[in-house]
Short mmCIF file of all heavy atoms in Angstrom, two decimals:
data_model
loop_
_atom_site.label_atom_id
_atom_site.label_comp_id
_atom_site.label_asym_id
_atom_site.label_seq_id
_atom_site.Cartn_x
_atom_site.Cartn_y
_atom_site.Cartn_z
N MET A 6 9.08 -15.82 -5.71
CA MET A 6 8.24 -15.15 -4.71
C MET A 6 8.02 -13.69 -5.11
O MET A 6 8.93 -13.00 -5.54
CB MET A 6 8.94 -15.17 -3.35
CG MET A 6 8.83 -16.51 -2.66
SD MET A 6 7.65 -16.49 -1.32
CE MET A 6 8.56 -15.60 -0.07
N LYS A 7 6.80 -13.27 -4.95
CA LYS A 7 6.48 -11.87 -5.21
C LYS A 7 5.83 -11.29 -3.96
O LYS A 7 5.32 -12.00 -3.12
CB LYS A 7 5.50 -11.76 -6.38
CG LYS A 7 6.17 -12.08 -7.71
CD LYS A 7 5.14 -12.28 -8.79
CE LYS A 7 4.35 -11.01 -9.08
NZ LYS A 7 3.39 -11.24 -10.19
N THR A 8 5.88 -9.98 -3.89
CA THR A 8 5.25 -9.30 -2.77
C THR A 8 4.05 -8.51 -3.27
O THR A 8 4.13 -7.81 -4.27
CB THR A 8 6.25 -8.34 -2.10
OG1 THR A 8 7.38 -9.09 -1.69
CG2 THR A 8 5.64 -7.69 -0.88
N VAL A 9 2.96 -8.69 -2.58
CA VAL A 9 1.75 -7.95 -2.91
C VAL A 9 1.51 -6.92 -1.81
O VAL A 9 1.58 -7.23 -0.63
CB VAL A 9 0.54 -8.90 -3.01
CG1 VAL A 9 -0.76 -8.13 -3.14
CG2 VAL A 9 0.71 -9.83 -4.19
N LYS A 10 1.20 -5.73 -2.22
CA LYS A 10 0.89 -4.68 -1.25
C LYS A 10 -0.62 -4.57 -1.10
O LYS A 10 -1.35 -4.54 -2.07
CB LYS A 10 1.47 -3.35 -1.71
CG LYS A 10 2.98 -3.32 -1.65
CD LYS A 10 3.50 -1.97 -2.12
CE LYS A 10 4.98 -1.81 -1.81
NZ LYS A 10 5.80 -2.88 -2.40
N LYS A 11 -1.05 -4.54 0.15
CA LYS A 11 -2.48 -4.48 0.42
C LYS A 11 -2.79 -3.34 1.37
O LYS A 11 -2.01 -3.01 2.26
CB LYS A 11 -2.95 -5.80 1.03
CG LYS A 11 -2.94 -6.93 0.04
CD LYS A 11 -3.07 -8.29 0.69
CE LYS A 11 -4.38 -8.52 1.35
NZ LYS A 11 -4.52 -9.89 1.87
N CYS A 12 -3.98 -2.81 1.21
CA CYS A 12 -4.44 -1.73 2.07
C CYS A 12 -4.73 -2.26 3.47
O CYS A 12 -5.38 -3.30 3.61
CB CYS A 12 -5.72 -1.14 1.46
SG CYS A 12 -6.56 0.02 2.52
N PRO A 13 -4.27 -1.61 4.53
CA PRO A 13 -4.54 -2.06 5.90
C PRO A 13 -5.99 -1.83 6.32
O PRO A 13 -6.44 -2.40 7.30
CB PRO A 13 -3.58 -1.23 6.75
CG PRO A 13 -3.32 0.00 5.95
CD PRO A 13 -3.39 -0.42 4.52
N GLU A 14 -6.71 -1.02 5.59
CA GLU A 14 -8.09 -0.73 5.95
C GLU A 14 -9.06 -1.73 5.32
O GLU A 14 -9.93 -2.27 5.98
CB GLU A 14 -8.46 0.69 5.51
CG GLU A 14 -7.68 1.78 6.21
CD GLU A 14 -8.15 1.99 7.64
OE1 GLU A 14 -9.33 1.75 7.91
OE2 GLU A 14 -7.33 2.41 8.47
N CYS A 15 -8.91 -1.94 4.03
CA CYS A 15 -9.90 -2.76 3.33
C CYS A 15 -9.27 -3.94 2.61
O CYS A 15 -9.97 -4.71 1.96
CB CYS A 15 -10.68 -1.88 2.33
SG CYS A 15 -9.69 -1.31 0.94
N GLU A 16 -7.94 -4.10 2.72
CA GLU A 16 -7.21 -5.20 2.11
C GLU A 16 -7.31 -5.23 0.59
O GLU A 16 -7.09 -6.26 -0.04
CB GLU A 16 -7.64 -6.54 2.71
CG GLU A 16 -7.37 -6.60 4.20
CD GLU A 16 -7.49 -8.01 4.74
OE1 GLU A 16 -7.95 -8.90 4.01
OE2 GLU A 16 -7.09 -8.23 5.89
N SER A 17 -7.63 -4.13 0.01
CA SER A 17 -7.60 -4.03 -1.44
C SER A 17 -6.17 -4.02 -1.94
O SER A 17 -5.26 -3.56 -1.26
CB SER A 17 -8.31 -2.74 -1.88
OG SER A 17 -8.00 -2.46 -3.22
N LYS A 18 -5.97 -4.55 -3.14
CA LYS A 18 -4.65 -4.50 -3.75
C LYS A 18 -4.53 -3.31 -4.71
O LYS A 18 -3.54 -3.17 -5.40
CB LYS A 18 -4.38 -5.80 -4.50
CG LYS A 18 -4.31 -7.00 -3.58
CD LYS A 18 -4.21 -8.28 -4.39
CE LYS A 18 -4.43 -9.50 -3.50
NZ LYS A 18 -4.82 -10.68 -4.29
N ASN A 19 -5.56 -2.52 -4.75
CA ASN A 19 -5.58 -1.39 -5.66
C ASN A 19 -4.88 -0.20 -5.01
O ASN A 19 -5.51 0.75 -4.57
CB ASN A 19 -7.03 -1.07 -6.01
CG ASN A 19 -7.13 -0.22 -7.27
OD1 ASN A 19 -6.14 0.15 -7.87
ND2 ASN A 19 -8.36 0.07 -7.66
N ILE A 20 -3.56 -0.29 -4.94
CA ILE A 20 -2.75 0.66 -4.19
C ILE A 20 -1.84 1.44 -5.13
O ILE A 20 -1.25 0.88 -6.03
CB ILE A 20 -1.85 -0.10 -3.17
CG1 ILE A 20 -2.70 -0.90 -2.19
CG2 ILE A 20 -0.92 0.86 -2.44
CD1 ILE A 20 -3.47 -0.08 -1.22
N THR A 21 -1.77 2.71 -4.90
CA THR A 21 -0.75 3.50 -5.56
C THR A 21 0.14 4.09 -4.48
O THR A 21 -0.20 4.11 -3.31
CB THR A 21 -1.35 4.64 -6.40
OG1 THR A 21 -1.99 5.57 -5.53
CG2 THR A 21 -2.36 4.12 -7.38
N PHE A 22 1.29 4.57 -4.89
CA PHE A 22 2.14 5.21 -3.91
C PHE A 22 2.86 6.40 -4.52
O PHE A 22 3.05 6.48 -5.72
CB PHE A 22 3.14 4.23 -3.30
CG PHE A 22 4.03 3.55 -4.31
CD1 PHE A 22 5.22 4.14 -4.70
CD2 PHE A 22 3.67 2.33 -4.84
CE1 PHE A 22 6.03 3.52 -5.63
CE2 PHE A 22 4.48 1.70 -5.77
CZ PHE A 22 5.67 2.29 -6.17
N SER A 23 3.21 7.31 -3.66
CA SER A 23 3.98 8.46 -4.10
C SER A 23 5.05 8.73 -3.06
O SER A 23 4.98 8.25 -1.94
CB SER A 23 3.07 9.67 -4.28
OG SER A 23 2.42 9.96 -3.06
N THR A 24 6.00 9.49 -3.45
CA THR A 24 7.08 9.81 -2.53
C THR A 24 6.82 11.15 -1.88
O THR A 24 6.69 12.16 -2.57
CB THR A 24 8.42 9.83 -3.28
OG1 THR A 24 8.51 8.69 -4.11
CG2 THR A 24 9.58 9.82 -2.31
N GLY A 25 6.70 11.15 -0.58
CA GLY A 25 6.55 12.40 0.14
C GLY A 25 7.86 13.15 0.19
O GLY A 25 8.92 12.59 -0.06
N LEU A 26 7.79 14.40 0.51
CA LEU A 26 9.01 15.20 0.51
C LEU A 26 10.00 14.69 1.55
O LEU A 26 11.15 14.43 1.25
CB LEU A 26 8.68 16.67 0.77
CG LEU A 26 8.00 17.39 -0.39
CD1 LEU A 26 7.66 18.82 0.02
CD2 LEU A 26 8.89 17.40 -1.62
N GLN A 27 9.55 14.58 2.79
CA GLN A 27 10.45 14.14 3.86
C GLN A 27 9.90 12.92 4.59
O GLN A 27 10.50 12.43 5.52
CB GLN A 27 10.66 15.28 4.86
CG GLN A 27 11.37 16.47 4.24
CD GLN A 27 11.36 17.68 5.15
OE1 GLN A 27 10.62 17.72 6.12
NE2 GLN A 27 12.17 18.67 4.84
N LEU A 28 8.75 12.46 4.18
CA LEU A 28 8.08 11.41 4.92
C LEU A 28 8.37 10.03 4.37
O LEU A 28 7.93 9.04 4.91
CB LEU A 28 6.56 11.65 4.89
CG LEU A 28 6.11 12.95 5.55
CD1 LEU A 28 4.63 13.18 5.27
CD2 LEU A 28 6.35 12.90 7.05
N GLY A 29 9.07 9.97 3.24
CA GLY A 29 9.26 8.68 2.61
C GLY A 29 8.05 8.33 1.78
O GLY A 29 7.35 9.20 1.27
N MET A 30 7.80 7.04 1.65
CA MET A 30 6.72 6.59 0.80
C MET A 30 5.36 6.80 1.45
O MET A 30 5.16 6.48 2.61
CB MET A 30 6.89 5.09 0.50
CG MET A 30 8.16 4.80 -0.25
SD MET A 30 8.10 5.44 -1.93
CE MET A 30 7.66 3.95 -2.78
N ILE A 31 4.44 7.33 0.66
CA ILE A 31 3.06 7.45 1.10
C ILE A 31 2.20 6.59 0.17
O ILE A 31 2.25 6.74 -1.04
CB ILE A 31 2.57 8.92 1.03
CG1 ILE A 31 3.40 9.80 1.96
CG2 ILE A 31 1.09 9.02 1.36
CD1 ILE A 31 3.21 9.50 3.43
N TYR A 32 1.45 5.71 0.78
CA TYR A 32 0.60 4.83 -0.02
C TYR A 32 -0.82 5.35 -0.03
O TYR A 32 -1.29 5.94 0.93
CB TYR A 32 0.62 3.42 0.57
CG TYR A 32 1.98 2.79 0.55
CD1 TYR A 32 2.79 2.85 1.66
CD2 TYR A 32 2.45 2.17 -0.60
CE1 TYR A 32 4.06 2.29 1.64
CE2 TYR A 32 3.71 1.61 -0.63
CZ TYR A 32 4.51 1.67 0.49
OH TYR A 32 5.76 1.12 0.48
N GLN A 33 -1.49 5.09 -1.12
CA GLN A 33 -2.89 5.51 -1.21
C GLN A 33 -3.71 4.38 -1.81
O GLN A 33 -3.33 3.79 -2.82
CB GLN A 33 -2.99 6.77 -2.07
CG GLN A 33 -4.41 7.31 -2.11
CD GLN A 33 -4.46 8.78 -2.48
OE1 GLN A 33 -3.49 9.37 -2.91
NE2 GLN A 33 -5.63 9.36 -2.33
N CYS A 34 -4.80 4.10 -1.15
CA CYS A 34 -5.73 3.07 -1.61
C CYS A 34 -6.78 3.71 -2.50
O CYS A 34 -7.42 4.68 -2.11
CB CYS A 34 -6.38 2.40 -0.41
SG CYS A 34 -7.66 1.23 -0.85
N LYS A 35 -6.98 3.14 -3.67
CA LYS A 35 -7.98 3.68 -4.59
C LYS A 35 -9.38 3.23 -4.22
O LYS A 35 -10.36 3.77 -4.70
CB LYS A 35 -7.66 3.23 -6.02
CG LYS A 35 -6.44 3.91 -6.60
CD LYS A 35 -6.23 3.47 -8.02
CE LYS A 35 -5.03 4.17 -8.63
NZ LYS A 35 -4.77 3.67 -10.00
N GLU A 36 -9.48 2.22 -3.38
CA GLU A 36 -10.80 1.69 -3.02
C GLU A 36 -11.44 2.49 -1.89
O GLU A 36 -12.58 2.92 -1.99
CB GLU A 36 -10.69 0.22 -2.62
CG GLU A 36 -10.21 -0.69 -3.73
CD GLU A 36 -11.22 -0.80 -4.87
OE1 GLU A 36 -12.41 -0.68 -4.62
OE2 GLU A 36 -10.77 -0.99 -6.02
N CYS A 37 -10.72 2.66 -0.79
CA CYS A 37 -11.33 3.28 0.38
C CYS A 37 -10.75 4.66 0.68
O CYS A 37 -11.25 5.36 1.55
CB CYS A 37 -11.18 2.38 1.61
SG CYS A 37 -9.49 2.31 2.25
N GLY A 38 -9.71 5.04 -0.04
CA GLY A 38 -9.16 6.37 0.15
C GLY A 38 -8.14 6.46 1.26
O GLY A 38 -7.68 7.54 1.61
N TYR A 39 -7.76 5.30 1.83
CA TYR A 39 -6.72 5.31 2.86
C TYR A 39 -5.44 5.92 2.30
O TYR A 39 -5.06 5.69 1.16
CB TYR A 39 -6.44 3.88 3.33
CG TYR A 39 -5.15 3.76 4.12
CD1 TYR A 39 -5.13 4.10 5.47
CD2 TYR A 39 -3.98 3.35 3.50
CE1 TYR A 39 -3.94 4.01 6.18
CE2 TYR A 39 -2.79 3.26 4.21
CZ TYR A 39 -2.78 3.59 5.55
OH TYR A 39 -1.61 3.52 6.26
N ARG A 40 -4.79 6.71 3.14
CA ARG A 40 -3.55 7.33 2.72
C ARG A 40 -2.61 7.37 3.90
O ARG A 40 -2.97 7.86 4.97
CB ARG A 40 -3.84 8.74 2.23
CG ARG A 40 -2.72 9.38 1.45
CD ARG A 40 -3.25 10.57 0.67
NE ARG A 40 -2.19 11.25 -0.05
CZ ARG A 40 -1.46 12.24 0.44
NH1 ARG A 40 -1.72 12.70 1.63
NH2 ARG A 40 -0.50 12.79 -0.25
N GLY A 41 -1.42 6.81 3.75
CA GLY A 41 -0.48 6.82 4.87
C GLY A 41 0.74 5.98 4.57
O GLY A 41 0.84 5.36 3.52
N PRO A 42 1.67 5.95 5.52
CA PRO A 42 2.92 5.24 5.32
C PRO A 42 2.84 3.74 5.57
O PRO A 42 3.75 3.00 5.23
CB PRO A 42 3.86 5.90 6.33
CG PRO A 42 2.96 6.35 7.43
CD PRO A 42 1.65 6.72 6.77
N LEU A 43 1.76 3.28 6.18
CA LEU A 43 1.65 1.87 6.51
C LEU A 43 0.92 1.10 5.42
O LEU A 43 -0.09 1.55 4.90
CB LEU A 43 0.91 1.69 7.84
CG LEU A 43 1.65 2.19 9.07
CD1 LEU A 43 0.73 2.05 10.29
CD2 LEU A 43 2.92 1.42 9.30
N ILE A 44 1.44 -0.08 5.14
CA ILE A 44 0.79 -0.93 4.15
C ILE A 44 1.07 -2.38 4.55
O ILE A 44 2.03 -2.67 5.24
CB ILE A 44 1.35 -0.62 2.73
CG1 ILE A 44 0.37 -0.99 1.66
CG2 ILE A 44 2.68 -1.30 2.50
CD1 ILE A 44 -0.76 0.00 1.51
N ILE A 45 0.18 -3.26 4.13
CA ILE A 45 0.42 -4.68 4.36
C ILE A 45 1.20 -5.23 3.17
O ILE A 45 0.78 -5.06 2.03
CB ILE A 45 -0.91 -5.43 4.51
CG1 ILE A 45 -1.67 -4.91 5.73
CG2 ILE A 45 -0.66 -6.93 4.64
CD1 ILE A 45 -3.08 -5.49 5.83
N GLU A 46 2.31 -5.88 3.46
CA GLU A 46 3.04 -6.55 2.40
C GLU A 46 2.96 -8.04 2.62
O GLU A 46 3.32 -8.55 3.67
CB GLU A 46 4.50 -6.09 2.39
CG GLU A 46 4.65 -4.68 1.89
CD GLU A 46 6.10 -4.34 1.55
OE1 GLU A 46 6.83 -5.26 1.15
OE2 GLU A 46 6.46 -3.18 1.68
N GLU A 47 2.45 -8.72 1.62
CA GLU A 47 2.23 -10.14 1.75
C GLU A 47 3.02 -10.87 0.67
O GLU A 47 2.97 -10.51 -0.50
CB GLU A 47 0.73 -10.40 1.56
CG GLU A 47 0.30 -11.79 1.97
CD GLU A 47 -1.22 -11.88 1.96
OE1 GLU A 47 -1.86 -11.50 2.95
OE2 GLU A 47 -1.75 -12.32 0.93
N ASP A 48 3.74 -11.89 1.10
CA ASP A 48 4.51 -12.68 0.13
C ASP A 48 3.63 -13.75 -0.48
O ASP A 48 2.91 -14.45 0.21
CB ASP A 48 5.69 -13.37 0.85
CG ASP A 48 6.73 -12.36 1.30
OD1 ASP A 48 6.86 -11.31 0.65
OD2 ASP A 48 7.40 -12.63 2.31
N ILE A 49 3.69 -13.85 -1.78
CA ILE A 49 2.98 -14.93 -2.48
C ILE A 49 3.96 -15.69 -3.33
O ILE A 49 5.01 -15.18 -3.70
CB ILE A 49 1.84 -14.38 -3.35
CG1 ILE A 49 2.38 -13.35 -4.35
CG2 ILE A 49 0.74 -13.77 -2.49
CD1 ILE A 49 1.36 -12.97 -5.38
N GLU A 50 3.64 -16.92 -3.66
CA GLU A 50 4.54 -17.72 -4.47
C GLU A 50 4.10 -17.72 -5.91
O GLU A 50 2.94 -17.60 -6.21
CB GLU A 50 4.54 -19.15 -3.96
CG GLU A 50 5.14 -19.23 -2.57
CD GLU A 50 5.36 -20.69 -2.15
OE1 GLU A 50 5.68 -21.50 -3.04
OE2 GLU A 50 5.19 -20.99 -0.98
ZN1 LIG B 15 -8.40 0.53 1.22
#
């Protein structure tokens, strides 16, 4: 099983992430420009 991360706005898998100073992980979508701590994680086989 693998986990795929998807953008909550456009469901793109083209996601990068960086570590915020005190906020934890910040995800960024390369497709729509979404940026934030929330992401969809989907399990695939
Ligand atoms: Zn997006």
Side-chain angles (χ1 to χ4, degrees):
M6 282 255 285
K7 288 167 64 178
T8 303
V9 171
K10 290 180 169 57
K11 289 165 66 175
C12 171
E14 296 285 331
C15 69
E16 299 193 350
S17 165
K18 295 173 192 159
N19 198 358
I20 300 291
T21 65
F22 57 87
S23 58
T24 314
L26 288 177
Q27 295 170 346
L28 298 172
M30 297 291 261
I31 298 294
Y32 298 96
Q33 185 158 11
C34 174
K35 289 183 178 176
E36 297 293 330
C37 72
Y39 166 81
R40 194 163 177 270
L43 292 175
I44 205 76
I45 298 173
E46 289 194 31
E47 193 171 275
D48 291 331
I49 56 170
E50 294 190 35

